[in-house]
Amino acid sequence: MAKMRAIEAAVHILSKEGVDTVFGVPGAAINPLYAAMKKIGGIRHLLARHVEGASHMAEGYTRARAGNIGVCIGTSGPAGTDMITGLYSAAADSIPILCITGQAPRSRLHKEDFQAVDIKEIARPVAKWTTTVMEPAQLPGALQQAFHLMRSGRPGPVLLDLPFDVQMAEIDFDPETYQPLAVFKPTASRAQLEKALSMLLEAERPLIVAGGGVINANASTLLTTFAEIVQVPVIPTLMGWGCIPDDHPLMAGMAGLQTSHRYGNASLLAADFVLGIGNRWANRHTGSVDVYTAGRKFVHIDIEPTQIGRVFAPDYGIVSDAASALSLLIDIAREWQEQGRLPTRPQWRDACQRRKSSMLRRSDHGNVPIKPMRVYEEMNRFFGKNTRYVSTIGLSQIAAAQFLHVYHPRNWINCGQAGPLGWTIPAAIGAKVADPSTAVVAISGDYDFQFMLEELAVGAQFRVPYIHVLVNNSYLGLIRQAQRQFDIDYCVQLSFENINAPELGSYGVDHVRVVEGLGCKAVRVREPAQLASGLAEAQRLMEQHAVPVVVEVILERVTNIAMGAEINAINEFEDIIDLPV
């Protein structure tokens, strides 16, 4: 049996589990891991500027490709607490990431040592598992268990805390014979799925609501195939967007209070049955349960048993991985199709399509300063169908979801439940590193952009090229809009006269200079007619320099984006279009 330091065994295990890229910030308590990575090789490291940024890079890395697990590394104390937002974000959206922290030696954990904090307890509520490894010989097993838990059942993040002396201790370990643990995923029975399908077939106006669990299970093709066989329209949630192409005849639009389409809400309200799969009935999708469920039956399929009945009691619930459930649903549906048992319901399908082609929001505005809707219209024209969009929260993200088009799974990467400002830049970098062949376009408002803009330097240093569309209204736009109910506009203005950039007027921060100071390129657009050429110039600069390129669009200061408290009561502040069909 080979003898090596426990932390060297850990590096071998990371490689055996498929890790070849990590994001982190070195420090004294985690230097043994860095020494082991250098000695053994095979793992690329990107140096973040903030450990929270490293955790979001790990998220973007996981989300971009099926099977990926992003890894972020930090030292003891504040590095671990910096990771908490990343852990929360990953846990909320069922994203597996591994956070590794250094720790003070075991003998000093109770002595209030420098940067010694009980990070496992701090992180416990926002992770699937947290542990401080107290015995060197247990480190291989702890790491093996971490990967097993991250991949099994509902995916989620894990934090491993490693005391310095545990890392440095010598243990017996044979890298050649290491093997990952088998992954557990619950599977629905045939009887369960036959019952669910029977309930769907009894309905006159059924819909499928497909959530992020479909994408996590790499089951988007299965979902589309099933929908085509049973001829049932699909409403993806925000986390499931892309599981069926936007231009597919059975894609009925998104429903919800904010990131939704008029036609998606209308079709859901007209439905009498909903099959939810891989979704959690998030409140910004449903609004009040009474409105969402009135007059409709529900079947809910989810990988996590405690999700069934958490928000409301479905008429029938099934615990299952989305891929295995859809695979068996397809088999059953095909059998029943051959037996002539599947109704086609062309009137219902066509009604959903009529809504989709007629119940629109206007986006061709020619205003100066620019209205945000026009930005997304130009992006749809300029970027190809395989573009991967990354965004987190705010009016910029809400408007993007209302106006952009997504055609493939994992091409809308969004921090759904947590929505931390600053997430977009590091997540976009992680996504591009995971899949360099796919174009990445990030979308931020000015405040999200300013939260962690230092991570642009990572993109410059490590040559991670992507385009970042920065829509600047010099406001906390979503909070300003929410303050309307209090009849205030208070502490949400970011505008000021920049003494170093008088040409900006009241738009404050000179983002172009800041971006260029971080080693990247930037373009500023002030008029709608400049949008296409601005995006083209950004594309040229990105290809020439292989760094992030920011397109700053100066927006009108105040635009209210469509949203409401109920899916049947959305406030349409801007122009809508009802086309004849």
Side-chain angles (χ1 to χ4, degrees):
M1 186 78 72
K3 284 193 175 293
M4 63 185 70
R5 286 180 175 170
I7 200 62
E8 292 172 359
V11 172
H12 284 297
I13 291 170
L14 289 173
S15 295
K16 290 281 188 177
E17 294 282 359
V19 174
D20 60 13
T21 302
V22 298
F23 308 89
V25 178
I30 198 63
N31 270 339
L33 175 54
Y34 281 85
M37 287 194 295
K38 181 178 181 181
K39 176 181 177 180
I40 295 167
I43 295 179
R44 179 189 183 194
H45 179 272
L46 277 76
L47 177 62
R49 296 326 193 242
H50 191 296
V51 185
E52 181 186 341
S55 69
H56 298 327
M57 289 175 198
E59 279 189 83
Y61 184 86
T62 295
R63 294 174 191 241
R65 280 202 170 199
N68 273 7
I69 290 185
V71 177
C72 61
I73 300 171
T75 190
S76 58
T81 56
D82 285 343
M83 290 178 182
I84 295 299
T85 301
L87 285 164
Y88 164 39
S89 168
D93 290 346
S94 305
I95 304 299
I97 65 170
L98 176 61
C99 294
I100 301 175
T101 55
Q103 182 58 276
R106 289 169 290 177
S107 62
R108 308 185 71 142
L109 290 180
H110 65 294
K111 298 180 183 291
E112 298 186 0
D113 208 39
F114 177 68
Q115 292 189 338
V117 66
D118 192 355
I119 191 62
K120 75 176 188 304
E121 291 302 319
I122 294 173
R124 193 181 300 279
V126 291
K128 195 169 182 181
W129 183 48
T130 67
T131 187
T132 298
V133 179
M134 297 299 288
E135 294 296 334
Q138 289 187 319
L139 180 50
L143 202 49
Q144 187 180 42
Q145 175 77 339
F147 281 96
H148 172 70
L149 288 173
M150 284 187 287
R151 293 175 174 135
S152 294
R154 180 184 182 183
V158 165
L159 180 136
L160 285 187
D161 186 40
L162 307 179
F164 187 89
D165 55 329
V166 168
Q167 297 177 60
M168 295 293 289
E170 199 170 70
I171 64 170
D172 293 311
F173 182 73
D174 182 5
E176 298 302 318
T177 58
Y178 176 86
Q179 187 170 322
L181 293 174
V183 175
F184 167 74
K185 294 187 184 296
T187 302
S189 69
R190 184 180 179 94
Q192 288 175 314
L193 295 176
E194 284 183 342
K195 180 178 177 66
L197 188 55
S198 295
M199 293 173 69
L200 183 148
L201 299 186
E202 291 168 2
E204 295 181 5
R205 300 179 304 281
L207 286 174
I208 298 168
V209 169
V214 173
I215 291 178
N216 282 350
N218 207 30
S220 298
T221 300
L222 294 172
L223 173 86
T224 302
T225 299
F226 174 67
E228 290 171 344
I229 294 170
V230 295
Q231 284 294 289
V232 172
V234 176
I235 287 186
T237 68
L238 184 65
M239 297 305 298
W241 196 15
C243 65
I244 185 169
D246 266 14
D247 57 357
H248 193 286
L250 289 173
M251 201 291 196
M254 288 192 287
L257 306 183
Q258 296 177 336
T259 55
S260 60
H261 304 109
R262 294 178 64 218
Y263 48 88
N265 279 342
S267 288
L268 193 140
L269 289 166
D272 63 357
F273 175 88
V274 176
L275 169 63
I277 182 160
N279 67 306
R280 58 182 180 84
W281 312 116
N283 66 301
R284 291 192 176 187
H285 168 78
T286 65
S288 72
V289 168
D290 290 345
V291 171
Y292 190 82
T293 60
R296 284 169 282 283
K297 289 186 176 181
F298 288 84
V299 169
H300 190 196
I301 302 174
D302 196 81
I303 197 169
E304 171 55 44
T306 63
Q307 287 292 347
I308 307 296
R310 177 180 291 242
V311 177
F312 61 84
D315 295 273
Y316 189 58
I318 301 172
V319 177
S320 180
D321 167 66
S324 61
L326 284 165
S327 181
L328 188 48
L329 277 169
I330 288 169
D331 291 343
I332 298 167
R334 281 180 172 151
E335 291 174 15
W336 291 8
Q337 187 178 48
E338 291 176 1
Q339 298 166 13
R341 297 173 61 183
L342 296 187
T344 56
R345 307 183 197 84
Q347 296 89 349
W348 168 241
R349 180 197 61 211
D350 294 346
C352 291
Q353 276 301 300
R354 284 195 298 273
R355 296 185 194 97
K356 183 179 177 182
S357 61
S358 64
M359 298 179 67
L360 307 176
R361 295 179 175 119
R362 186 181 169 200
S363 59
D364 61 347
H365 305 276
N367 304 54
V368 178
I370 300 170
K371 280 189 176 289
M373 304 81 171
R374 178 65 183 272
V375 179
Y376 304 110
E377 176 181 287
E378 296 293 339
M379 289 171 65
N380 282 327
R381 287 196 185 115
F382 185 83
F383 295 114
K385 284 190 172 183
N386 197 36
T387 300
R388 172 170 288 138
Y389 295 108
V390 180
S391 189
T392 179
I393 193 64
L395 286 185
S396 56
Q397 172 249 18
I398 294 167
Q402 291 181 11
F403 290 96
L404 285 178
H405 296 300
V406 175
Y407 300 95
H408 300 284
R410 303 183 187 275
N411 275 11
W412 174 259
I413 294 182
N414 187 188
C415 178
Q417 187 193 129
L421 289 165
W423 186 88
T424 310
I425 292 174
I429 289 171
K432 185 65 178 179
V433 169
D435 183 8
S437 65
T438 299
V440 169
V441 177
I443 303 152
S444 288
D446 43 310
Y447 209 43
D448 170 53
F449 187 78
Q450 290 173 21
F451 255 56
M452 300 198 76
L453 59 80
E454 74 278 357
E455 301 304 334
L456 285 173
V458 180
Q461 178 180 356
F462 294 95
R463 293 293 187 263
V464 184
Y466 78 94
I467 290 175
H468 201 124
V469 176
L470 162 60
V471 286
N472 179 9
N473 62 3
S474 202
Y475 244 123
L476 304 188
L478 180 57
I479 308 308
R480 176 206 55 75
Q481 187 166 332
Q483 286 186 350
R484 293 173 71 253
Q485 65 182 305
F486 299 99
D487 196 26
I488 60 172
D489 184 334
Y490 186 61
C491 296
V492 290
Q493 296 200 23
L494 298 171
S495 61
F496 64 93
E497 302 284 342
N498 188 331
I499 60 173
N500 298 306
E503 71 277 8
L504 288 175
S506 63
Y507 279 80
V509 174
D510 189 340
H511 294 108
V512 170
R513 287 190 192 177
V514 173
V515 168
E516 290 176 345
L518 289 165
C520 302
K521 289 290 186 179
V523 178
R524 180 175 288 131
V525 174
R526 293 183 180 274
E527 298 182 10
Q530 300 171 342
L531 282 164
S533 59
L535 293 171
E537 176 65 3
Q539 186 85 27
R540 185 189 69 78
L541 290 169
M542 183 187 69
E543 292 172 356
Q544 178 182 352
H545 299 287
V547 297
V549 179
V550 174
V551 181
E552 181 187 33
V553 183
I554 303 299
L555 298 184
E556 63 181 11
R557 295 294 314 286
V558 173
T559 310
N560 292 315
I561 302 298
M563 64 182 73
E566 299 289 356
I567 61 172
N568 64 351
I570 301 299
N571 292 320
E572 298 288 345
F573 297 95
E574 297 286 335
D575 295 340
I576 59 173
I577 303 171
D578 289 309
L579 297 174
V581 290

